[in-house]
Amino acid sequence: MSTERPAQAETPPVESPSAPTRRTFIATTTAVGGAAVVGGLVAGPPALAAEEAVAAAGPPGSSVSLTVNGIRRTVTVDNRTSLLDLLREHLDLTGSKKGCNAGACGACTVLVDGRRVNSCLTLAVRLEGAEVTTIEGLAKGERLHPLQQAFIDQDAFQCGFCTPGQIVSGAACIQEGHTGSAEEIREWMSGNLCRCGCYVKIERAVEQAAGRK
């Protein structure tokens, strides 16, 4: 007769009632994490909420006062507004043309305190107190500026798109005394492009207005 005792089945360890099970741990952490994500999406970080509030309020703007063609104007504009857009879109002075909008063609040339500038590259808010003269401000009532008349006499335009900038730049060129020769005129007018190729006639018009013809 055998004296060996029969093998007993192993009994699984009994978990403490207070210890969380693996399934309970996963379920709990998933619920907590999901709540945190949902809470973050609903509330959002303070910085993001502030940025959204600023965007909803619109871009920052400023009031600028300047004299345009002899008339004092005060306008509130987006701080990014160019002088060209101020003239065309806010003051309805559409003589200055938007050509390249990058300062390369001169179609938007105006005078600021007597100096030639590309209005597409000039921020309007930086011109507080400035005096601006556009193509509309060169004539005296019904009397054309001498260079405007010279452009007609010399037939110095074709499509006419660049003409306002050419005339404003040419008038400044005369005022600056840069009309001593054809070469000098071409040099000081070189920032104004004519896609129609009327450079010879433009040069002659400047010479006529300067009294050289």
Side-chain angles (χ1 to χ4, degrees):
M1 180 175 182
S2 174
T3 59
E4 294 182 359
R5 300 177 62 183
Q8 297 182 353
E10 294 184 0
T11 303
V14 179
E15 295 183 354
S16 170
S18 60
T21 65
R22 180 173 179 273
R23 179 176 298 175
T24 303
F25 175 78
I26 294 174
T28 303
T29 54
T30 301
V32 172
V37 172
V38 172
L41 291 176
V42 173
L48 180 59
E51 291 177 2
E52 291 176 346
V54 171
S62 299
S63 176
V64 59
S65 295
L66 63 166
T67 301
V68 181
N69 298 330
I71 301 174
R72 191 70 171 176
R73 311 295 292 264
T74 299
V75 186
T76 299
V77 295
D78 181 335
N79 288 344
R80 300 166 295 182
T81 301
S82 68
L83 173 58
L84 178 61
D85 286 339
L86 170 66
L87 295 172
R88 292 180 59 83
E89 299 178 11
H90 295 267
L91 303 183
D92 199 29
L93 295 172
T94 56
S96 304
K97 303 305 181 186
K98 182 176 286 190
C100 63
N101 205 33
C105 72
C108 66
T109 303
V110 300
L111 304 181
V112 175
D113 294 331
R115 298 177 63 250
R116 290 178 278 182
V117 302
N118 291 320
S119 59
C120 69
L121 297 183
T122 305
L123 287 176
V125 294
R126 300 188 63 182
L127 299 180
E128 179 66 31
E131 292 191 8
V132 178
T133 303
T134 70
I135 185 65
E136 292 92 342
L138 289 183
K140 304 300 181 183
E142 296 297 322
R143 182 165 58 89
L144 295 178
H145 185 280
L147 187 54
Q148 290 176 308
Q149 185 61 54
F151 261 68
I152 296 173
D153 296 342
Q154 298 293 337
D155 192 24
F157 49 84
Q158 287 189 27
C159 77
F161 192 83
C162 75
T163 302
Q166 297 278 4
I167 292 176
V168 171
S169 184
C173 187
I174 295 170
Q175 184 176 341
E176 295 161 4
H178 298 305
T179 59
S181 65
E183 291 75 16
E184 186 176 17
I185 292 173
R186 287 196 293 268
E187 174 66 24
W188 288 90
M189 291 285 292
S190 60
N192 292 81
L193 305 183
C194 175
R195 293 176 174 85
C196 300
C198 286
Y199 294 112
V200 173
K201 294 182 178 181
I202 291 172
E203 175 195 312
R204 291 174 181 170
V206 174
E207 288 178 327
Q208 175 182 318
R212 294 187 58 240
K213 278 190 177 292

